[in-house]
Amino acid sequence: MKKIIILLGASATGKDTIAKHICKKYNIPIAISYTTRPMREKETQGVEYYFISDEEMDEKFKNGEVIEHTSYYIQSENVTYRYANVVEEFEKGDYVLTILNPHGLAQFKKSQYKNNLVSIMLDCNDRTRLIRSLTRDDKVNVKEVLDRYKRDELDFVENKPNVNYEIRTDRPLEEVFNSIDKIIKKILKGE
């Protein structure tokens, strides 16, 4: 039976690091989302996201390809960026990994995949998140970081999602990987 493993967490909780670990160690493909935001330094088309125009995003909706979507208004830039997951990405194999916010999880719970979901919430203290956010890129947009923190407050504190597992990521990486490995092994065994 197909399983979709969903990682959730506020910005800088380690979602990308854990996703890469799962993909590499267990050969589980990641569903790559589409976004209208510009590519950041060190990002690659088709790796972190598929970077597309608003018109191309509209086509995805028009063609009925979108399973879940969200948008973020970046106050410091006065712009809204859109994100979407499409069906094709979830047909890659028996196990597929994706990264979502609580709104995205709620949409998946109403989709054709609703009975195939395993959700894992990543949580981290604010100090560690802030340090990670400020050291992620060479060119840090502090206003964008603050915007993300405000959105995260709404997404993850005020609307805390119901998930299958929770992991603290503000501890040594090896411990975090051990925790995630136990969960992934349970999923692969069908538990």
Side-chain angles (χ1 to χ4, degrees):
M1 174 189 274
K2 177 181 281 296
K3 286 290 182 192
I4 297 173
I5 302 164
I6 298 172
L7 295 179
L8 298 102
S11 59
T13 54
K15 297 179 299 292
D16 292 333
T17 300
I18 291 171
K20 287 174 188 170
H21 170 78
I22 293 169
C23 292
K24 184 177 180 181
K25 185 167 183 173
Y26 299 98
N27 199 29
I28 295 174
I30 190 163
I32 300 167
S33 301
Y34 287 77
T35 184
T36 59
R37 81 157 168 78
M39 196 181 316
R40 292 183 185 136
E41 193 175 310
K42 298 181 184 175
E43 288 183 325
T44 304
Q45 175 74 292
V47 176
E48 289 82 11
Y49 292 98
Y50 293 112
F51 298 93
I52 61 174
S53 67
D54 275 309
E55 294 76 23
E56 290 169 307
M57 184 69 82
D58 291 340
E59 273 301 303
K60 299 276 179 209
F61 279 91
K62 182 179 170 187
N63 295 335
E65 300 172 54
V66 176
I67 301 169
E68 96 43 67
H69 62 91
T70 193
S71 60
Y72 291 112
Y73 174 69
I74 307 298
Q75 187 174 10
S76 61
E77 299 174 26
N78 193 29
V79 66
T80 298
Y81 297 128
R82 298 160 63 195
Y83 296 79
N85 274 295
V86 301
V87 172
E88 177 184 3
E89 288 294 308
F90 293 89
E91 298 302 322
K92 290 180 173 181
D94 291 336
Y95 300 94
V96 180
L97 176 70
T98 190
I99 298 172
L100 299 174
N101 65 16
H103 178 67
L105 176 61
Q107 290 177 68
F108 259 86
K109 286 181 175 182
K110 295 176 184 174
S111 76
Q112 67 265 39
Y113 300 110
K114 64 185 170 199
N115 297 318
N116 306 79
L117 308 176
V118 179
S119 52
I120 306 167
M121 172 69 82
L122 307 178
D123 197 12
C124 183
N125 68 61
D126 287 341
R127 181 180 186 275
T128 300
R129 287 181 53 224
L130 183 59
I131 291 167
R132 289 175 182 170
S133 294
L134 295 174
T135 58
R136 180 182 307 185
D137 295 319
D138 293 337
K139 299 175 186 174
V140 176
N141 181 336
V142 176
K143 289 181 180 180
E144 183 181 342
V145 170
L146 295 174
D147 283 346
R148 271 194 239 140
Y149 269 70
K150 289 176 188 172
R151 282 193 316 270
D152 287 344
E153 189 70 23
L154 292 171
D155 284 349
F156 292 95
V157 177
E158 293 183 17
N159 303 309
K160 188 169 181 179
N162 183 17
V163 296
N164 299 105
Y165 300 97
E166 291 188 32
I167 295 178
R168 296 286 314 173
T169 61
D170 46 8
R171 54 196 175 120
L173 194 55
E174 187 174 314
E175 290 179 24
V176 175
F177 285 164
N178 285 338
S179 295
I180 199 72
D181 288 343
K182 287 177 185 174
I183 294 168
I184 299 301
K185 287 174 184 173
K186 279 184 175 183
I187 295 167
L188 295 176
K189 286 180 185 175
E191 295 179 11

